[in-house]
Amino acid sequence: MSKVWFVTGSSRGLGRGFVEAALSRGDRVAATARNPEHLGGLVAAFGDAVLPLALDVTDPASVDAGVGRAKEHFGRLDVVVNNAGYGLSGAVEELSDQELRDQLETNLFGPLRVVRAVLPHLREQGGGHIVQVSSAAGVAAFPLGGGYCASKWALEGLSESLALEVAGFGVKVTLVEPGSYATDAIASAVHAQGHPLYDGLREAFAANVRTLDSGDPAAAARALLKVVDAGDPPLRVFFGNENNQLVQQVYADRLQTWEEWQDLAFEAHGRTPSAPAA
């Protein structure tokens, strides 16, 4: 049976690939973007199977109207993909309050608004699948990415709680954690005003980015189809060939550190592991 998708950030990058993959196999899609004129090519190629919608995830009224219009038009929503977002580059010391607020407004509160808008419909129909596009930076931090990582780490925690809360309604939640892809994500990132003290770090980071093996967005889109078709989809899934090795080391380091400081953890509790509770 074909699915009905609702995808934010559909005008370019991974979001555009997700939409095209779903439409190409016969699914129907409510494709949203801040400027729906950028979705004209989808309409020309796929006709009535795609519903282009103007939607700004930072505007609650826009989100509610877009979700309502999609449900009214298609009659149901099966797959909801929270893809809209952007990167913020800058050392933590360089970030302004407003830059961080704007980052969270789009990358965290945007998906939250969509989730709140779609859940009544998913509960009513007895199921659905919410896909939260996070990042490898949602589980492993990197320098100059504090603002972006903060938004994705918050999205990860929000989504894991959400998954536990909505499972009883038949609603599934998956966090997709992409690595580097051949999109304009890095080029379109917002940059905080730089401090000369961090210029060397910026140069090193830029050099590292140039060595990355960027993935194919079309391959990511095909992978997402397998995720949403799975009977028991994962809560978390990496997209990309470098993430598993990276994060395995990150978690190994964390576990080792916690183990090395375990005695202090008990000390901080006020008794040793063998001491009986008062």
Side-chain angles (χ1 to χ4, degrees), residues 51-228:
L51 174 67
L53 294 171
L55 188 144
D56 181 350
V57 297
T58 68
D59 179 357
S62 175
V63 171
D64 290 343
V67 170
R69 178 77 180 91
K71 173 61 166 58
E72 177 185 15
H73 183 82
F74 289 122
R76 64 182 292 112
L77 300 172
D78 300 305
V79 181
V80 177
V81 182
N82 272 310
N83 171 72
Y86 71 93
L88 173 62
S89 177
V92 170
E93 183 182 1
E94 295 170 339
L95 300 179
S96 70
D97 287 1
Q98 192 59 54
E99 285 168 333
L100 183 54
R101 287 192 182 103
D102 290 344
Q103 178 81 125
L104 295 172
E105 190 69 29
T106 296
N107 291 8
L108 175 63
F109 286 97
L112 173 60
R113 293 182 183 108
V114 173
V115 165
R116 284 196 305 237
V118 301
L119 269 179
H121 302 298
L122 302 186
R123 282 199 303 269
E124 181 183 12
Q125 67 193 27
H129 195 166
I130 297 171
V131 177
Q132 309 278 57
V133 179
S134 179
S135 168
V139 289
F142 59 90
L144 305 179
Y148 181 71
C149 292
S151 71
K152 293 302 186 181
W153 284 47
L155 180 65
E156 295 262 339
L158 185 85
S159 300
E160 184 163 347
S161 291
L162 173 68
L164 296 170
E165 295 160 357
V166 301
F169 305 130
V171 178
K172 302 167 184 176
V173 178
T174 294
L175 282 153
V176 171
E177 298 156 335
S180 175
Y181 274 86
T183 68
D184 65 350
I186 293 178
S188 62
V190 172
H191 294 267
Q193 183 173 356
H195 190 293
L197 286 173
Y198 296 101
D199 286 348
L201 192 58
R202 258 182 287 279
E203 292 171 5
F205 180 75
N208 181 65
V209 168
R210 289 192 291 270
T211 69
L212 294 176
D213 178 17
S214 296
D216 178 5
R222 293 191 296 270
L224 184 61
L225 296 181
K226 293 185 177 181
V227 171
V228 301

Side-chain angles (χ1 to χ4, degrees), residues 225-273:
L225 296 181
K226 293 185 177 181
V227 171
V228 301
D229 288 345
D232 185 21
L235 171 61
R236 288 183 170 86
V237 60
F238 285 131
F239 279 11
N241 63 4
E242 298 172 333
N243 298 338
N244 274 307
Q245 183 176 356
L246 166 68
V247 174
Q248 283 176 13
Q249 185 60 54
V250 167
Y251 273 89
D253 291 344
R254 290 175 183 171
L255 290 169
Q256 181 179 348
T257 299
W258 284 324
E259 184 175 359
E260 289 174 352
W261 288 85
Q262 184 174 356
D263 288 347
L264 185 69
F266 288 116
E267 181 182 329
H269 189 74
R271 61 176 183 268
T272 63

